[in-house]
Amino acid sequence: SAGQCCDLACSRFTCPANYALKAGSSKISGSTRDMCCDQIRDWDVHIGRSDANTKCLDAPLVTCSSDAGNKGKRVNSHPAGDSFNIQVSQWGRVCATRLDYSGGWGMDLVIRCKVRGVDLHIGSSTANTKCLDTPALLCPTEAGNIGRRVNSHSAHDTFKISNFRNDGNSRVCAQRLDYSGGWGMDLMVRCVINYGRINIGRSSGVTKCVNTPSPMTCSRDAGNKGIRVNTDYASYGDTFNIYVNNAGQVCAKRLDQNVPWAMDLTIICNYAD
Protein backbone atom coordinates (compact mmCIF):
# COMPACT_ATOMS: atom_id res chain seq x y z
CA SER A 1 0.00 0.00 0.00
CA ALA A 2 1.13 3.59 -0.59
CA GLY A 3 3.40 4.89 2.15
CA GLN A 4 4.37 1.46 3.41
CA CYS A 5 7.71 -0.07 2.63
CA CYS A 6 8.78 -3.57 1.92
CA ASP A 7 5.43 -4.71 0.55
CA LEU A 8 5.35 -6.66 -2.72
CA ALA A 9 5.88 -3.53 -4.84
CA CYS A 10 8.89 -2.41 -2.82
CA SER A 11 10.39 -5.89 -2.72
CA ARG A 12 10.62 -5.75 -6.51
CA PHE A 13 11.92 -2.18 -6.61
CA THR A 14 15.64 -1.55 -7.20
CA CYS A 15 16.89 1.48 -5.30
CA PRO A 16 19.24 3.86 -7.17
CA ALA A 17 22.84 4.57 -6.17
CA ASN A 18 23.23 6.03 -2.66
CA TYR A 19 19.84 4.61 -1.62
CA ALA A 20 18.90 1.42 0.22
CA LEU A 21 15.62 -0.47 0.62
CA LYS A 22 13.77 0.58 3.77
CA ALA A 23 13.83 -1.81 6.71
CA GLY A 24 10.30 -1.11 7.94
CA SER A 25 7.11 0.83 7.31
CA SER A 26 7.24 4.54 6.54
CA LYS A 27 4.78 7.43 6.60
CA ILE A 28 6.69 9.30 3.89
CA SER A 29 4.51 9.55 0.80
CA GLY A 30 5.65 10.40 -2.70
CA SER A 31 7.34 8.56 -5.54
CA THR A 32 8.11 4.86 -5.45
CA ARG A 33 11.71 5.70 -4.62
CA ASP A 34 10.61 7.79 -1.62
CA MET A 35 8.22 5.07 -0.43
CA CYS A 36 10.68 2.20 -0.78
CA CYS A 37 14.17 3.64 -0.32
CA ASP A 38 16.16 5.55 2.27
CA GLN A 39 18.95 7.83 1.11
CA ILE A 40 22.44 6.93 2.34
CA ARG A 41 24.42 9.89 3.69
CA ASP A 42 27.69 10.58 5.45
CA TRP A 43 27.38 10.78 9.24
CA ASP A 44 30.29 11.77 11.49
CA VAL A 45 30.47 9.82 14.77
CA HIS A 46 32.29 11.65 17.57
CA ILE A 47 34.00 8.97 19.65
CA GLY A 48 36.43 11.29 21.46
CA ARG A 49 39.29 10.35 23.78
CA SER A 50 39.58 7.17 25.84
CA ASP A 51 41.56 5.90 28.81
CA ALA A 52 40.56 2.33 27.93
CA ASN A 53 41.57 0.30 24.90
CA THR A 54 37.95 0.18 23.65
CA LYS A 55 35.29 2.88 23.72
CA CYS A 56 31.67 2.43 22.64
CA LEU A 57 28.74 4.79 22.16
CA ASP A 58 25.23 4.69 20.73
CA ALA A 59 24.60 6.24 17.34
CA PRO A 60 21.88 6.17 14.68
CA LEU A 61 21.98 3.00 12.60
CA VAL A 62 25.30 3.59 10.85
CA THR A 63 27.64 1.44 8.81
CA CYS A 64 31.32 2.17 9.32
CA SER A 65 34.46 0.87 7.67
CA SER A 66 36.57 -1.14 10.14
CA ASP A 67 39.55 1.16 9.44
CA ALA A 68 37.55 4.43 9.59
CA GLY A 69 39.61 5.56 12.62
CA ASN A 70 43.00 5.25 10.97
CA LYS A 71 45.21 8.10 9.77
CA GLY A 72 44.11 9.38 6.39
CA LYS A 73 40.54 8.11 6.91
CA ARG A 74 39.40 9.56 10.22
CA VAL A 75 37.79 13.01 10.22
CA ASN A 76 39.95 14.58 12.93
CA SER A 77 43.33 15.69 11.64
CA HIS A 78 45.60 14.34 14.40
CA PRO A 79 48.91 13.23 12.78
CA ALA A 80 49.51 10.24 15.09
CA GLY A 81 49.66 6.79 13.55
CA ASP A 82 47.19 5.23 16.02
CA SER A 83 45.25 2.45 14.32
CA PHE A 84 41.76 1.27 15.28
CA ASN A 85 39.24 -1.45 14.61
CA ILE A 86 35.74 0.04 14.28
CA GLN A 87 32.79 -2.28 14.86
CA VAL A 88 29.04 -1.60 14.75
CA SER A 89 26.52 -3.87 16.49
CA GLN A 90 23.08 -4.71 15.09
CA TRP A 91 21.68 -2.17 17.58
CA GLY A 92 23.75 0.73 16.21
CA ARG A 93 26.39 0.73 18.99
CA VAL A 94 29.73 1.91 17.59
CA CYS A 95 32.95 0.67 19.21
CA ALA A 96 36.56 1.74 18.54
CA THR A 97 39.40 -0.54 19.69
CA ARG A 98 42.99 0.63 19.44
CA LEU A 99 45.14 -1.96 17.69
CA ASP A 100 48.70 -0.60 17.83
CA TYR A 101 48.75 -0.18 21.63
CA SER A 102 47.07 -1.93 24.56
CA GLY A 103 45.94 1.29 26.22
CA GLY A 104 43.72 4.20 25.23
CA TRP A 105 44.29 7.29 23.08
CA GLY A 106 44.50 11.06 23.51
CA MET A 107 43.12 12.28 20.20
CA ASP A 108 39.54 13.52 19.85
CA LEU A 109 38.58 10.69 17.49
CA VAL A 110 35.88 11.39 14.89
CA ILE A 111 35.04 8.87 12.16
CA ARG A 112 32.91 9.12 9.03
CA CYS A 113 30.23 6.48 8.57
CA LYS A 114 27.14 6.02 6.42
CA VAL A 115 23.57 6.44 7.66
CA ARG A 116 20.10 6.22 6.20
CA GLY A 117 18.81 9.77 5.86
CA VAL A 118 15.87 11.79 4.60
CA ASP A 119 15.21 15.42 3.74
CA LEU A 120 12.16 16.45 5.78
CA HIS A 121 9.85 18.98 4.11
CA ILE A 122 8.48 21.25 6.83
CA GLY A 123 7.37 24.07 4.52
CA SER A 124 6.20 27.58 5.48
CA SER A 125 4.21 28.50 8.58
CA THR A 126 1.98 31.32 9.82
CA ALA A 127 2.61 30.22 13.41
CA ASN A 128 5.87 30.42 15.35
CA THR A 129 6.05 26.62 15.65
CA LYS A 130 5.13 23.93 13.13
CA CYS A 131 5.12 20.19 13.88
CA LEU A 132 4.92 17.13 11.62
CA ASP A 133 4.28 13.48 12.38
CA THR A 134 7.20 11.60 10.86
CA PRO A 135 8.91 8.23 10.67
CA ALA A 136 11.59 7.64 13.33
CA LEU A 137 13.86 10.59 12.57
CA LEU A 138 16.71 12.31 14.36
CA CYS A 139 17.06 15.92 13.22
CA PRO A 140 19.90 18.19 14.48
CA THR A 141 18.73 21.15 16.56
CA GLU A 142 20.23 23.69 14.11
CA ALA A 143 19.20 21.85 10.93
CA GLY A 144 16.89 24.71 9.88
CA ASN A 145 19.50 27.49 9.98
CA ILE A 146 21.22 29.06 6.98
CA GLY A 147 24.10 26.91 5.82
CA ARG A 148 22.51 23.84 7.38
CA ARG A 149 19.00 23.67 5.89
CA VAL A 150 18.41 21.94 2.57
CA ASN A 151 16.39 24.73 0.94
CA SER A 152 18.55 27.54 -0.45
CA HIS A 153 16.63 30.57 0.89
CA SER A 154 19.11 33.33 1.80
CA ALA A 155 17.17 34.70 4.81
CA HIS A 156 18.85 34.49 8.20
CA ASP A 157 15.80 33.07 9.99
CA THR A 158 16.98 30.86 12.85
CA PHE A 159 15.13 27.80 14.10
CA LYS A 160 15.15 25.22 16.86
CA ILE A 161 14.39 21.75 15.51
CA SER A 162 13.04 19.38 18.18
CA ASN A 163 12.41 15.64 18.10
CA PHE A 164 9.58 14.08 20.12
CA ARG A 165 8.73 10.39 20.52
CA ASN A 166 5.85 8.69 22.31
CA ASP A 167 4.71 5.06 22.15
CA GLY A 168 6.73 4.43 19.00
CA ASN A 169 5.37 7.51 17.21
CA SER A 170 7.60 10.42 16.19
CA ARG A 171 7.10 14.13 15.68
CA VAL A 172 9.51 16.83 14.50
CA CYS A 173 8.85 20.50 15.32
CA ALA A 174 10.45 23.67 13.95
CA GLN A 175 10.28 26.81 16.11
CA ARG A 176 11.47 30.17 14.78
CA LEU A 177 13.82 31.84 17.28
CA ASP A 178 14.69 35.24 15.77
CA TYR A 179 11.05 36.38 15.40
CA SER A 180 7.83 35.71 17.30
CA GLY A 181 5.81 34.95 14.15
CA GLY A 182 6.06 32.40 11.37
CA TRP A 183 8.17 32.18 8.20
CA GLY A 184 7.64 32.29 4.47
CA MET A 185 10.42 30.03 3.22
CA ASP A 186 9.74 26.46 2.11
CA LEU A 187 11.79 25.00 4.97
CA MET A 188 13.45 21.63 4.43
CA VAL A 189 15.85 20.02 6.92
CA ARG A 190 18.20 17.07 6.72
CA CYS A 191 17.61 14.28 9.23
CA VAL A 192 18.62 10.66 9.71
CA ILE A 193 16.58 7.53 10.21
CA ASN A 194 16.73 6.60 13.89
CA TYR A 195 15.30 3.10 14.27
CA GLY A 196 16.65 -0.24 15.40
CA ARG A 197 15.81 -3.88 14.68
CA ILE A 198 14.75 -5.81 17.77
CA ASN A 199 14.97 -9.59 17.53
CA ILE A 200 12.51 -11.05 20.06
CA GLY A 201 12.64 -14.50 18.49
CA ARG A 202 10.54 -17.55 19.25
CA SER A 203 8.68 -17.94 22.51
CA SER A 204 7.95 -20.68 25.02
CA GLY A 205 5.17 -18.62 26.61
CA VAL A 206 2.52 -16.06 25.74
CA THR A 207 4.89 -13.18 26.64
CA LYS A 208 8.60 -12.77 25.94
CA CYS A 209 10.88 -9.87 26.86
CA VAL A 210 14.40 -9.11 25.62
CA ASN A 211 17.12 -6.72 26.78
CA THR A 212 18.34 -3.94 24.50
CA PRO A 213 21.59 -1.99 24.95
CA SER A 214 19.78 1.33 24.30
CA PRO A 215 16.38 2.59 25.48
CA MET A 216 13.72 2.03 22.81
CA THR A 217 10.13 3.01 22.12
CA CYS A 218 7.98 0.69 20.00
CA SER A 219 4.59 0.88 18.35
CA ARG A 220 2.08 -1.46 20.01
CA ASP A 221 1.36 -3.19 16.69
CA ALA A 222 5.01 -3.51 15.57
CA GLY A 223 4.80 -7.32 15.72
CA ASN A 224 1.72 -7.72 13.52
CA LYS A 225 1.48 -9.01 9.95
CA GLY A 226 2.70 -6.48 7.40
CA ILE A 227 4.60 -4.49 10.07
CA ARG A 228 7.04 -6.98 11.59
CA VAL A 229 10.21 -7.54 9.55
CA ASN A 230 11.00 -11.24 10.07
CA THR A 231 10.51 -13.21 6.86
CA ASP A 232 9.39 -16.54 8.36
CA TYR A 233 5.63 -17.04 8.87
CA ALA A 234 5.13 -13.72 7.06
CA SER A 235 1.55 -14.55 6.06
CA TYR A 236 0.47 -15.72 9.52
CA GLY A 237 -2.05 -13.60 11.39
CA ASP A 238 -0.42 -13.75 14.84
CA THR A 239 -1.07 -10.45 16.63
CA PHE A 240 0.95 -8.99 19.48
CA ASN A 241 1.03 -6.19 21.98
CA ILE A 242 4.54 -4.72 21.93
CA TYR A 243 5.58 -2.67 24.95
CA VAL A 244 8.57 -1.64 27.06
CA ASN A 245 8.43 -2.88 30.65
CA ASN A 246 9.66 -1.10 33.79
CA ALA A 247 13.07 -2.75 33.41
CA GLY A 248 13.50 -1.21 29.96
CA GLN A 249 13.06 -4.52 28.14
CA VAL A 250 11.11 -4.76 24.89
CA CYS A 251 8.26 -7.26 25.33
CA ALA A 252 5.80 -9.02 23.04
CA LYS A 253 2.53 -10.50 24.31
CA ARG A 254 0.53 -12.64 21.91
CA LEU A 255 -3.09 -11.48 21.60
CA ASP A 256 -4.84 -13.70 19.06
CA GLN A 257 -4.26 -16.94 21.01
CA ASN A 258 -3.15 -17.78 24.52
CA VAL A 259 -0.21 -19.86 23.24
CA PRO A 260 3.48 -19.33 22.37
CA TRP A 261 4.65 -18.51 18.81
CA ALA A 262 7.12 -20.21 16.50
CA MET A 263 8.19 -17.32 14.28
CA ASP A 264 11.54 -15.57 14.77
CA LEU A 265 9.74 -12.35 15.71
CA THR A 266 11.73 -9.26 14.66
CA ILE A 267 10.38 -5.72 14.86
CA ILE A 268 11.41 -2.14 14.20
CA CYS A 269 11.51 0.29 17.14
CA ASN A 270 12.72 3.85 17.65
CA TYR A 271 15.64 4.92 19.78
CA ALA A 272 14.13 6.65 22.80
CA ASP A 273 16.69 9.46 23.13
Side-chain angles (χ1 to χ4, degrees):
S1 60
Q4 186 174 38
C5 150
C6 302
D7 58 10
L8 185 58
C10 282
S11 68
R12 291 198 293 247
F13 185 77
T14 301
C15 295
N18 297 320
Y19 286 78
L21 196 68
K22 291 181 186 290
S25 62
S26 170
K27 298 175 187 174
I28 299 176
S29 61
S31 68
T32 304
R33 187 200 70 184
D34 293 329
M35 287 189 291
C36 298
C37 305
D38 292 328
Q39 191 167 7
I40 303 300
R41 303 188 183 281
D42 289 337
W43 186 264
D44 291 347
V45 178
H46 184 191
I47 297 175
R49 300 170 177 84
S50 178
D51 294 326
N53 186 246
T54 297
K55 183 177 180 180
C56 299
L57 73 162
D58 297 322
L61 283 183
V62 295
T63 56
C64 309
S65 172
S66 61
D67 61 353
N70 294 351
K71 184 179 179 180
K73 291 199 171 183
R74 57 184 175 245
V75 177
N76 58 295
S77 58
H78 200 289
D82 305 21
S83 61
F84 299 88
N85 179 37
I86 307 296
Q87 296 290 330
V88 183
S89 77
Q90 64 172 322
W91 308 101
R93 191 164 177 80
V94 178
C95 295
T97 300
R98 186 167 177 181
L99 299 179
D100 62 298
Y101 175 60
S102 60
W105 58 91
M107 73 174 66
D108 191 25
L109 182 62
V110 181
I111 61 173
R112 182 151 294 160
C113 302
K114 297 291 185 181
V115 69
R116 295 171 182 261
V118 295
D119 291 341
L120 179 64
H121 182 202
I122 296 175
S124 59
S125 176
T126 56
N128 184 249
T129 300
K130 183 177 181 179
C131 298
L132 298 174
D133 293 325
T134 70
L137 297 181
L138 176 64
C139 306
T141 301
E142 299 179 351
N145 294 346
I146 190 169
R148 297 286 299 273
R149 56 184 176 247
V150 178
N151 57 295
S152 58
H153 200 289
S154 60
H156 285 267
D157 305 21
T158 59
F159 299 89
K160 178 183 178 181
I161 307 298
S162 302
N163 306 273
F164 300 97
R165 298 180 183 88
N166 181 43
D167 191 30
N169 298 312
S170 297
R171 171 169 283 200
V172 174
C173 294
Q175 179 187 7
R176 186 166 177 181
L177 299 180
D178 63 299
Y179 174 60
S180 60
W183 59 92
M185 72 173 68
D186 192 25
L187 183 62
M188 184 175 292
V189 298
R190 186 152 293 165
C191 307
V192 297
I193 299 292
N194 195 38
Y195 55 65
R197 296 170 65 94
I198 307 295
N199 179 240
I200 298 175
R202 297 168 177 82
S203 174
S204 58
V206 178
T207 300
K208 182 179 180 181
C209 299
V210 296
N211 294 318
T212 63
S214 300
M216 309 295 287
T217 61
C218 308
S219 176
R220 290 189 180 94
D221 60 356
N224 293 349
K225 178 183 175 181
I227 303 175
R228 60 182 179 251
V229 295
N230 52 289
T231 55
D232 62 327
Y233 299 95
S235 63
Y236 278 51
D238 303 26
T239 59
F240 302 88
N241 178 34
I242 305 296
Y243 62 96
V244 178
N245 66 16
N246 291 335
Q249 297 175 306
V250 174
C251 301
K253 179 179 180 181
R254 187 164 181 181
L255 300 178
D256 61 298
Q257 296 187 60
N258 194 33
V259 296
W261 60 89
M263 69 177 65
D264 188 27
L265 183 61
T266 305
I267 62 175
I268 297 292
C269 296
N270 300 353
Y271 287 101
D273 53 358

